[in-house]
Amino acid sequence: MSGAQGVEDSMISPMEPHWKWCLTLLVVLVSAHTDTKVTFSQHMDDFIRVLEQVEYRNPGLEPVNVLRGLRRAAGLRDEFMQHFLGTIREDSTSEAPVMDSNLSDFIGRAVRHQVTERGREEGVVLTADGTTVAMSPVLLGIEAGLVSKTRCQVRGLYPLTLARNLGLSFQRFHSSLLSQRLGPDGCWDDVTSPQVFTLSDKPSLATDALVNGGMDGVILGMEVSAQSQRPLKLSSLLRTYYCHRLEGEGLDTAPRLISRLRRENFRELARPPLLQRQVVRSLVLQRRLIDHSTMLSQEKEELTAVVREGIKEFVHRYMDCPAIIPRCQWGAAPYRGTPTPLSLPLSSMYIHHTYQPGQPCLTFQQCSADMRSMQRFHQDDRGWDDIGYSFVAGSDGYLYEGRGWHWQGAHTKGYNSKGYGVSFIGDYTSRLPSQQTMELVRDRLASCAVGGGRLVGNFTLYGHRQLVKTSCPGDAFYSEITGWEHFGVREYVQYVQMLDLNLITLLEDNFPAMQDV
């Protein structure tokens, strides 16, 4: 347990995003009738506000024409795109949105994707759930869905959103022109008003943001193609998907079509054989349209083998594994001292609850504040090098990186070198985490760890109380995990039989320092 003591954190209050949205929208509407120049951040909220302004200035314009206007502003019109979406007519004024240079410049920056020599990724935005998304594959996927003549069979959907980027990256890696097939992720200069996104490592041609945007493009493109009525406004579609506020039971009662469920929805749509075929076909088409040459049968066989290996890594990284918010995104303080490397694979996973903070966190802002609060308590009050846990599960649909896969934690005294400590934010003495949150750890994190060689296949899962004198992870939650696969019962020492857990809970309530690892 952390005993974070509810330390207050400087953060945005739950109401501030609403006031910020109202204020910005007012400025946007006023500027529609003036020459006032509005400065926008690289946040999805601001991107949607710009769309609302474009739609406000162009009443009655179809969403597909708005999308074509965005593509034109961003210069997205190569032969590959035109093959599926048609040519954008430069002389067409009746079908193109009217927008001033301020809006056009912003759209160009927000949509035109590139990575600079300094490792800055452009054409990406930060979403409300804390993930970063490349906008071009999102918009291309939606446009493909809107122009589709067949429901749920969208021509060009995978090539435009994901397959071409994956294939080119796999090829470059195979030719030793890239150091990795996929990724990396990165971090923003400021999560409140983001402007600059810097990658954490040398880039592939399929960064995490491009993959996120590609998956969203597939999901949204398929969704609009399946609707009997097309969406009236593009901004409404994006706001519904990216800006849903969780309440009550969190993801357990949330709608299906939201960005927090990106990986779950994509898994339902895309099977590995389908992805492999789409990537190969995209590269063959790229060769014909862009390079103006034909791929020979032997080349195609070799390409298929390269793509097959790449898809294996893609499936593990983005479909089997859960999304993990990196330390720099939640505002972690630096590690104090020198971390101790783990010797992988490990043999155990230890389940905790934080106890304090006692309430589940439902937003990126609140979960991040809870992480900072716990880290401060562990470093400043306990004197530890860092937050003790390996990973922490929020109720917002994401895991948060603590000490991570490679560094020894301080979560289960006497056993830190043998397993990963995973804590759930909240007090689960008399209630359970949401089903989605439990599945995130029980099914996704565990599978990811085994598949990545970080946990042995027959690893053992323990509740904290089985190894240390504590009531953690709470009576209700401990009862739940005894039915999980890999749960292990200690044969010789059962602290839960020796100790009066009601007394332990009473002591921990009054003396948080008793919650020791």
Side-chain angles (χ1 to χ4, degrees), residues 258-272:
I258 58 175
S259 60
R260 299 171 193 272
L261 297 176
R262 173 185 296 120
R263 298 193 180 197
E264 289 81 355
N265 286 325
F266 188 77
R267 277 197 299 269
E268 292 181 6
L269 291 173
R271 297 290 184 265

Side-chain angles (χ1 to χ4, degrees), residues 16-55:
E16 283 179 5
H18 175 74
W19 284 107
K20 184 178 178 184
W21 179 86
C22 291
L23 180 61
T24 305
L25 183 58
L26 177 62
V27 172
V28 164
L29 294 177
V30 170
S31 69
H33 300 284
T34 70
D35 294 328
T36 304
K37 185 171 183 178
V38 181
T39 301
F40 298 100
S41 73
Q42 295 296 114
H43 197 286
M44 180 63 79
D45 289 352
D46 276 354
F47 185 86
I48 293 172
R49 290 171 192 134
V50 168
L51 277 183
E52 290 172 336
Q53 183 169 353
V54 171
E55 292 164 341

Side-chain angles (χ1 to χ4, degrees), residues 498-510:
M498 297 168 57
L499 300 171
D500 184 340
L501 293 180
N502 291 325
L503 176 60
I504 293 175
T505 301
L506 179 64
L507 290 171
E508 290 176 341
D509 283 341
N510 291 278

Side-chain angles (χ1 to χ4, degrees), residues 363-473:
T363 67
F364 167 63
Q365 291 85 357
Q366 185 59 57
C367 293
S368 296
D370 287 346
M371 291 294 291
R372 294 191 295 270
S373 175
M374 289 186 288
Q375 186 189 39
R376 279 198 301 271
F377 181 75
H378 288 176
Q379 288 185 322
D380 298 342
D381 291 44
R382 293 269 177 94
W384 298 347
D385 294 337
D386 196 7
I387 188 171
Y389 307 119
S390 306
F391 298 98
V392 178
S395 293
D396 61 336
Y398 294 102
L399 290 169
Y400 287 74
E401 181 185 24
R403 301 207 188 183
W405 294 117
H406 301 290
W407 306 122
Q408 181 175 305
H411 43 75
T412 313
K413 190 173 183 179
Y415 299 88
N416 291 316
S417 65
K418 299 177 175 63
Y420 293 113
V422 183
S423 192
F424 290 67
I425 292 179
D427 174 5
Y428 297 108
T429 302
S430 57
R431 61 176 175 176
L432 293 175
S434 69
Q435 289 296 321
Q436 284 276 357
T437 305
M438 291 191 289
E439 289 171 8
L440 198 66
V441 173
R442 182 190 64 215
D443 301 336
R444 295 298 159 196
L445 183 65
S447 173
C448 176
V450 172
R454 291 151 179 160
L455 274 179
V456 297
N458 61 342
F459 75 92
T460 305
L461 183 143
Y462 295 106
H464 188 193
R465 65 171 65 184
Q466 292 176 269
L467 306 171
V468 175
K469 297 179 182 180
T470 178
S471 64
C472 178

Side-chain angles (χ1 to χ4, degrees), residues 126-127 129-132 184-189 191 197-201 208-209 212 262-263 317 322-333 364 367-369 371-372 375 386-387 390-392 396 398-405:
L126 175 65
T127 68
D129 63 17
T131 58
T132 300
D185 200 351
C187 280
W188 288 95
D189 56 337
V191 296
F197 186 70
T198 304
L199 294 172
S200 59
D201 202 350
D208 281 10
N212 287 339
R262 173 185 296 120
R263 298 193 180 197
R317 182 164 178 162
I324 299 174
I325 303 295
R327 292 170 61 90
C328 57
Q329 279 291 89
W330 59 261
F364 167 63
C367 293
S368 296
M371 291 294 291
R372 294 191 295 270
Q375 186 189 39
D386 196 7
I387 188 171
S390 306
F391 298 98
V392 178
D396 61 336
Y398 294 102
L399 290 169
Y400 287 74
E401 181 185 24
R403 301 207 188 183
W405 294 117

